[in-house]
Amino acid sequence: MRPYQVISDSSCDIAPEYIEKTGLGIVPFFVSFDGQKYYKEVYELSPDNFYDKINETSIFPKTSQPTIQDYMDVFEPNLKEGKDILCLCLTSNFSGSFQSAVNAKNILSESYPEARIEVLDSRNVTGSQCLLVWEVLRMRDEGYTLDQQLEKFEAIKGTTKINFTVDSLEHLQKGGRIGKAAALAGTILNIKPIIIAQHGELFPESKVRGHKKAIRTIMDMTRNEIGNQKEQYRLILLYAEKERKEIAAELAEELMQEGFDVITPAVTQVGITIGTHAGPTAIGICYIKKHECV
């Protein structure tokens, strides 16, 4: 059996130290503040610096997906070492990253016909994609074959969900997720949206008034959805700007005290790819069904 390398695009928002620890391959997205100079996510611009920049200016950043060549540059060294490839990409509903990876696979398959290159649409984003990649890495370390990985991947990718909220609707409006009228009403009335990410899509769930009520709402949603089967799920907490990290950590501790299986590290930062659209105030709870429970 040939060894295989697990790879993801950078929208999985796994902490850099965990990337290094697990040997995960990363293909970065790009971000620009002026439409001319683009920075590689993770490698050239950190989330903290990114959020500081958008808080200090009125510029709405733009992201660019990895190119075919970007994927080839990460795939090929592993193929040369005799490894197969298992690559997970941001939901194709949000980006063409998946198609870039597929095109890279098709090109490289001609030069490495003996290799398997499996490119998968994760149907997930940020923290839920993080948990999906995390489960794949765990299965790799437990000795799952590539075929076994593919079978389990199909079973668990639809079990994820993110319940999140934002203080400001500005970035959702600029990214085309909500209209100007809704964004203005949110500012005036202190309305906080409750949003879910599931099956590769974003859905508005409800609206509440005030930050504290929004936080309690996403906590209660999570308890109601998986509380009776908490032993079957893993969770991670999301935050965007660094000022939100402490809140996310407190929520993680609260859930752990209630017996929920929150992974280590318990919090992960929303990266540049998704942060461009969610903005710096996002905070959320993500969960996935454990691969041994499906």
Side-chain angles (χ1 to χ4, degrees):
M1 181 182 69
R2 286 165 57 97
Y4 58 90
Q5 173 68 40
V6 180
I7 294 170
S8 174
D9 56 32
S10 60
S11 64
C12 66
D13 292 342
I14 290 180
E17 59 269 24
Y18 195 72
I19 293 171
E20 183 176 353
K21 178 181 177 181
T22 61
L24 175 68
I26 291 290
V27 181
F29 274 76
F30 298 82
V31 65
S32 175
F33 294 95
D34 60 11
Q36 296 180 5
K37 182 175 177 57
Y38 280 81
Y39 300 90
K40 288 184 180 180
E41 182 175 17
V42 178
Y43 298 107
E44 296 179 347
L45 186 67
S46 71
D48 280 345
N49 290 336
F50 168 75
Y51 290 118
D52 286 345
K53 179 77 170 177
I54 62 176
N55 279 327
E56 293 167 2
T57 69
S58 58
I59 299 172
F60 184 69
K62 295 181 179 180
T63 57
S64 178
Q65 70 196 36
T67 65
I68 297 171
Q69 189 62 53
D70 291 328
Y71 274 103
M72 291 176 65
D73 289 344
V74 177
F75 286 1
E76 191 161 26
N78 292 286
L79 298 173
K80 287 180 177 179
E81 293 176 3
K83 296 178 182 178
D84 293 330
I85 300 290
L86 177 58
C87 179
L88 286 67
C89 301
L90 172 67
T91 173
S92 58
N93 290 340
F94 285 9
S95 167
S97 178
F98 170 69
Q99 191 57 54
S100 290
V102 169
N103 291 341
K105 166 190 172 177
N106 292 337
I107 293 170
L108 289 171
S109 291
E110 296 182 7
S111 300
Y112 301 90
E114 75 288 354
R116 288 182 66 180
I117 307 174
E118 300 290 347
V119 176
L120 307 176
D121 182 347
S122 75
R123 303 290 291 170
N124 281 276
V125 300
T126 186
S128 60
Q129 187 180 348
C130 169
L131 287 172
L132 190 57
V133 172
W134 200 81
E135 287 296 305
V136 166
L137 290 168
R138 286 185 64 243
M139 287 189 280
R140 178 203 65 185
D141 294 344
E142 291 172 13
Y144 278 61
T145 66
L146 193 49
D147 286 329
Q148 290 171 324
Q149 283 271 20
L150 297 177
E151 182 180 351
K152 281 292 187 178
F153 178 86
E154 287 302 316
I156 64 174
K157 74 176 183 180
T159 69
T160 61
K161 191 183 181 195
I162 306 176
N163 298 321
F164 76 99
T165 186
V166 293
D167 273 3
S168 169
L169 300 171
E170 177 186 8
H171 286 267
L172 287 169
Q173 185 264 314
K174 287 181 177 178
R177 297 295 174 183
I178 62 170
K180 289 184 179 180
L184 179 61
T187 301
I188 296 173
L189 300 175
N190 196 27
I191 297 297
K192 311 302 179 189
I194 306 300
I195 307 167
I196 64 175
Q198 194 171 35
H199 307 307
E201 296 281 5
L202 289 181
F203 304 97
E205 173 69 15
S206 61
K207 302 173 184 175
V208 299
R209 185 165 294 179
H211 172 75
K212 290 184 178 179
K213 188 171 183 179
I215 294 297
R216 287 297 105 196
T217 298
I218 62 174
M219 289 284 279
D220 289 342
M221 287 171 62
T222 303
R223 293 184 181 104
N224 292 336
E225 289 160 4
I226 63 171
N228 291 334
Q229 299 178 312
K230 64 181 69 171
E231 72 284 351
Q232 296 186 27
Y233 287 84
R234 287 193 174 85
L235 292 79
I236 195 166
L237 279 290
L238 280 176
Y239 70 96
E241 61 187 359
K242 55 183 177 292
E243 290 80 5
R244 311 272 161 169
K245 184 176 182 178
E246 184 176 351
I247 298 173
E250 290 173 355
L251 298 179
E253 180 63 28
E254 185 176 333
L255 290 168
M256 284 189 281
Q257 290 294 327
E258 295 174 13
F260 287 88
D261 185 358
V262 181
I263 71 170
T264 302
V267 299
T268 193
Q269 192 168 24
V270 179
I272 292 167
T273 306
I274 304 303
T276 294
H277 300 282
T281 63
I283 192 164
I285 308 169
C286 318
Y287 61 76
I288 189 172
K289 200 163 193 178
K290 301 175 183 179
H291 67 262
E292 60 266 33
C293 294
V294 294

